[in-house]
Amino acid sequence: MVRTIASIPLAVHEHLMIQKRRIQNGNSKTRLSLVTGTHGDELEGQYLAYMVGSFIDEHIEQFDGILDIYPALNPMGIDSIMRGIPMFDLDMNRVFPGTKDGTTVEVICSSIIDDIAGSDVCVDVHSSNIFLKEIPQIRVSVPTAETLMPYAKMLNVDFVWVHESATVLESTLAHTLNSRGTKTLVVEMGVGMRITKEYCRQLFDGILNLMKELGMWKGETAAVREPVLSIGREVGFVNSDEAGIFVPCADFGDNVKRGDHIGDVLDPLTSQVVEKVQAVCDGMIFTLREYPVVYGGSLLARILQPKKEGE
Amino acid sequence: MKKKTLFSLSSPYREQLEVIGYRFGSGRKALAIVGAMRGNEVQQMYVCSRMVQALKKLESEGKIAEDCEIMVIPCINYYSMNIGKRFWAMDNTDINRMFPGYNLGETTQRIADGVFSQLQGYEYGIQLASFYQRGIFLPHVKLMDTGFTDADIMKDFGLQFGIIRKPRPYDTTTLNYNWQVWETKAFSVYANATDEIDVQAADEAVNAILRFMNTRGIVSAQTPPGYVTLILNESNTEQIQSESAGIFFRQAQIGKTVERGEVLGRIYDPFDGELVSEVRTPVSGTVYFAYNSPLINAKTVCFKIIK
Ligand SMILES: [Zn+2]
């Protein structure tokens, strides 16, 4: 059943609507919310939402519980290829929890939180941005790591990144829901404006496994992979120092040694290599730049270092 | 006056970005003024250019106090200005959400770091600010309340209102907030317009900043008398939102004193022209913000009233 959870009149003959679909079967009230489309330029979650929804529809007899699918928290952004909310140029993930009596975006954010709150687990699917490609990973903040780690491990991702919490991140959907007791996991996978079928498939298996662990799914599941955890490891950031065109020579998921040549920044006008890009540490490349044009400071890669000896 | 490139960044396809600072006087770092950080902040850049003119004159007349240095940065993000964008052209990030910056980080973090390193150590800091919504403001001064800056100092601007804002999580990465963390007493001055030039409001902002510098002993300048500033918390202002959507006609002007129940604006159906709602004020007070676009959505802030 499709429900509209927020609807705000726009200036000319249209409403800004946030919709979800509820799939319910059996007696269990266990509820999983699958949320995506906060950033209009991230589309991996669109295909995943379809995969999960259509699969459960087909196998409804093996499903016991409530699955809420929110494919587009920022529908106008997706429609117009904008990361933020068009007209407001606001990143929704800086507006949560919102307020009931606030302005358009605040009201929408508040309605979304009220609707999702109370779910047993919420999975918020992002796909990096148009600049970077990410291996399927879950990001949790240090204070929530203990509670969320068991669920993160169920989701069939390659990597779980436990990061420091920053004040500015208090306005995210995940922070708001977690602080209200709804376990919320943020997935980052793939790249903006594209669908990577294999990653959607991988996370689909993870979601099915999570539902099985929650007692919502009675059917078959595939074996899930054990994710690499960031705990006790450092993440190395490779940023460009020069401006030009970045052409990588390393691959995503590669294990590299500090100093290894991983790509070049080129100048198409002078035909020169302006920067030879090297790995800043040993480890696995889990983020790699997808969009070639770079400035000084543009992120080119992230490398997960091996565990330090003795830890 | 000394003109200096404070920070530069090379671009793959454009002339190098140069953040230019104009320094007046010498010695102790007394005041830094920052203009446009976003591509639509034309009024903010204009006010700074007028400050450069005013300070040039004061300097030639020997009216800058001894052991006082003043710096003006008219524009940081002219790259976006030149191509009609608001945020950083490449990745749409907002430089004023990147402070204090990071010299090994992303591009806009590096810009913020490069500029902020030049902005530290000043006793006072003034940012010409803009609002994220389209609208016009009564010129006023705002303080992000971090507990560092005495709100009463806002009176020295002689503007009608000084507003104290309680910082929200997303404010913690702005210039104003970080200036105060690094012990610069920082203020935001709102000079009515953003993407248009309002000369009268710019005059008011320039006079307010000169008045401030005068009272603080940084320059000796002649300025017209200012207001006795009313200092208030942002929570003491009333935000009026549109109840419906359509074509918006504003009745009340900025600065107008209004009575409770008065009609401030009207919203009409965009197709058949029927009146769909009247925007009435639930409180009496002074209008200090007004939405000024012909089309309006529901739940949009159309007026702010100082009670
Ligand atoms: Zn995202």
Side-chain angles (χ1 to χ4, degrees):
Chain A
M1 181 176 44
V2 173
R3 290 185 195 171
T4 299
I5 60 168
S7 171
I8 310 256
L10 296 177
V12 186
H13 202 69
E14 189 186 358
H15 288 79
L16 167 53
M17 283 197 298
I18 312 296
Q19 295 184 303
K20 75 163 179 187
R21 184 161 78 99
R22 170 160 289 189
I23 305 174
Q24 188 166 8
N25 192 51
N27 302 318
S28 168
K29 290 280 174 277
T30 304
R31 172 154 63 115
L32 172 69
S33 287
L34 176 60
V35 180
T36 191
T38 307
H39 295 129
D41 58 354
E42 302 178 9
L43 304 176
E44 305 276 8
Q46 300 303 304
Y47 187 52
L48 179 72
Y50 164 78
M51 283 178 86
V52 174
S54 62
F55 182 83
I56 297 298
D57 282 344
E58 275 172 45
H59 302 88
I60 191 73
E61 72 290 343
Q62 289 172 292
F63 181 74
D64 185 15
I66 301 168
L67 172 64
D68 280 342
I69 299 177
Y70 304 74
L73 296 192
N74 175 13
M76 294 202 303
I78 298 177
D79 188 72
S80 56
I81 328 179
M82 276 190 72
R83 189 170 180 77
I85 300 182
M87 303 296 287
F88 302 93
D89 222 344
L90 280 177
D91 181 342
M92 265 183 116
N93 245 355
R94 298 287 177 273
V95 185
F96 289 105
T99 51
K100 267 192 186 51
D101 52 3
T103 56
T104 309
V105 183
E106 292 169 328
V107 171
I108 286 171
C109 286
S110 152
S111 311
I112 290 169
I113 294 293
D114 286 350
D115 206 77
I116 300 174
S119 302
D120 293 271
V121 177
C122 171
V123 179
D124 179 16
V125 181
H126 290 254
S127 37
S128 186
N129 52 38
I130 64 162
F131 302 107
L132 303 168
K133 190 168 185 180
E134 304 275 1
I135 59 168
Q137 59 195 269
I138 285 177
R139 296 194 184 155
V140 295
S141 66
V142 173
T144 58
E146 206 186 319
T147 316
L148 298 181
M149 193 56 86
Y151 298 93
K153 287 180 176 175
M154 295 171 196
L155 277 164
N156 200 31
V157 293
D158 294 277
F159 173 44
V160 180
W161 189 358
V162 180
H163 62 81
E164 296 298 323
S165 45
T167 313
V168 60
L169 297 179
E170 285 172 15
S171 311
T172 61
L173 175 88
H175 178 92
T176 305
L177 286 169
N178 278 312
S179 62
R180 295 188 186 183
T182 298
K183 298 176 201 82
T184 303
L185 299 120
V186 174
V187 175
E188 287 283 358
M189 62 173 190
V191 62
M193 291 196 197
R194 294 287 179 271
I195 284 168
T196 314
K197 270 184 163 176
E198 55 176 305
Y199 291 167
C200 293
R201 182 80 228 170
Q202 183 179 337
L203 202 66
F204 168 85
D205 287 340
I207 301 253
L208 218 57
N209 181 58
L210 170 70
M211 291 199 290
K212 180 146 205 159
E213 298 279 353
L214 292 171
M216 301 168 72
W217 175 245
K218 312 290 177 203
E220 295 291 307
T221 53
V224 297
R225 58 189 84 188
E226 182 75 26
V228 174
L229 308 183
S230 71
I231 298 162
R233 299 160 179 250
E234 307 259 317
V235 173
F237 290 74
V238 185
N239 292 82
S240 169
D241 285 320
E242 301 297 332
I245 297 297
F246 174 63
V247 180
C249 60
D251 257 335
F252 207 49
D254 278 3
N255 273 294
V256 293
K257 291 269 171 226
R258 184 194 161 100
D260 278 0
H261 181 214
I262 60 171
D264 295 296
V265 179
L266 313 170
D267 182 344
L269 180 66
T270 63
S271 316
Q272 299 292 306
V273 173
V274 291
E275 186 181 358
K276 259 184 121 59
V277 181
Q278 297 180 326
V280 293
C281 57
D282 293 359
M284 176 192 67
I285 298 177
F286 69 93
T287 303
L288 190 62
R289 189 165 188 93
E290 185 81 7
Y291 190 77
V293 181
V294 297
Y295 271 86
S298 293
L299 186 63
L300 305 178
R302 291 193 193 102
I303 301 173
L304 181 68
Q305 299 189 20
K307 262 203 167 116
K308 294 207 182 77
E309 294 297 319
E311 279 181 77
Chain B
M1 182 188 83
K2 286 181 231 111
K3 181 177 167 183
K4 198 187 149 198
T5 302
L6 304 174
F7 175 80
S8 63
L9 177 84
S10 51
S11 155
Y13 295 97
R14 299 173 66 170
E15 260 186 286
Q16 159 169 302
L17 177 83
E18 292 174 337
V19 178
I20 306 290
Y22 295 83
R23 289 205 175 93
F24 303 89
S26 61
R28 177 180 76 85
K29 292 179 166 192
L31 169 69
I33 303 170
V34 175
M37 281 195 268
R38 298 175 182 148
N40 63 337
E41 293 178 341
V42 181
Q43 169 84 342
Q44 287 64 26
M45 179 171 71
Y46 174 66
V47 171
C48 282
S49 72
R50 295 276 311 274
M51 283 310 305
V52 170
Q53 289 290 314
L55 286 163
K56 237 172 150 172
K57 186 157 180 283
L58 289 170
E59 191 173 51
S60 70
E61 292 164 353
K63 286 181 176 167
I64 292 176
E66 227 173 275
D67 197 26
C68 272
E69 188 229 279
I70 305 148
M71 180 163 73
V72 182
I73 303 177
C75 187
I76 296 172
N77 188 4
Y78 63 85
Y79 258 28
S80 297
M81 216 169 249
N82 284 335
I83 58 168
K85 285 208 166 188
R86 186 161 172 238
F87 296 136
W88 184 246
M90 175 97 176
D91 59 10
N92 209 40
T93 54
D94 183 357
I95 295 172
N96 200 25
R97 290 286 179 275
M98 291 294 160
F99 288 96
Y102 177 43
N103 67 345
L104 299 175
E106 287 270 355
T107 309
T108 43
Q109 289 178 310
R110 291 183 185 204
I111 297 171
D113 171 78
V115 174
F116 194 58
S117 65
Q118 304 282 329
L119 286 173
Q120 280 170 40
Y122 284 88
E123 186 179 5
Y124 300 105
I126 296 172
Q127 189 213 339
L128 278 306
S130 75
F131 191 51
Y132 79 96
Q133 269 180 326
R134 277 173 299 181
I136 45 175
F137 270 111
L138 196 64
H140 68 277
V141 54
K142 202 178 241 180
L143 170 70
M144 191 102 73
D145 187 17
T146 64
F148 177 72
T149 308
D150 176 9
D152 272 350
I153 300 176
M154 285 197 283
K155 290 179 177 166
D156 293 350
F157 288 91
L159 289 165
Q160 216 172 335
F161 300 104
I163 296 172
I164 304 167
R165 175 181 172 83
K166 210 169 135 345
R168 305 218 185 146
Y170 57 78
D171 290 319
T172 56
T173 50
T174 60
L175 169 62
N176 193 312
Y177 186 93
N178 284 283
W179 241 344
Q180 296 189 74
V181 173
W182 268 262
E183 304 196 329
T184 290
K185 296 173 192 118
F187 306 92
S188 300
V189 169
Y190 289 79
N192 190 340
T194 302
D195 39 18
E196 289 169 2
I197 287 177
D198 177 336
V199 175
Q200 201 190 326
D203 288 345
E204 254 193 86
V206 167
N207 282 330
I209 296 169
L210 288 172
R211 222 178 271 128
F212 173 86
M213 289 196 285
N214 211 22
T215 319
R216 291 279 131 190
I218 299 167
V219 299
S220 69
Q222 294 282 326
T223 52
Y227 290 95
V228 178
T229 308
L230 177 67
I231 307 278
L232 71 155
N233 278 301
E234 203 172 34
S235 56
N236 289 335
T237 66
E238 183 79 22
Q239 202 163 280
I240 306 173
Q241 293 182 14
S242 53
E243 284 169 16
S244 47
I247 293 179
F248 175 69
F249 283 97
R250 177 160 54 94
Q251 251 76 45
Q253 299 304 315
I254 288 292
K256 189 181 184 231
T257 309
V258 293
E259 293 297 323
R260 181 166 173 252
E262 203 173 317
V263 176
L264 307 186
R266 291 194 171 88
I267 298 170
Y268 294 88
D269 184 284
F271 290 171
D272 64 23
E274 289 287 331
L275 178 68
V276 283
S277 74
E278 287 179 331
V279 182
R280 289 176 186 271
T281 172
V283 295
S284 300
T286 309
V287 178
Y288 88 102
F289 168 80
Y291 184 81
N292 72 336
S293 195
L295 295 180
I296 198 164
N297 295 340
K299 309 237 177 249
T300 299
V301 178
C302 33
F303 296 97
K304 291 188 184 201
I305 311 283
I306 289 168
K307 292 187 249 190

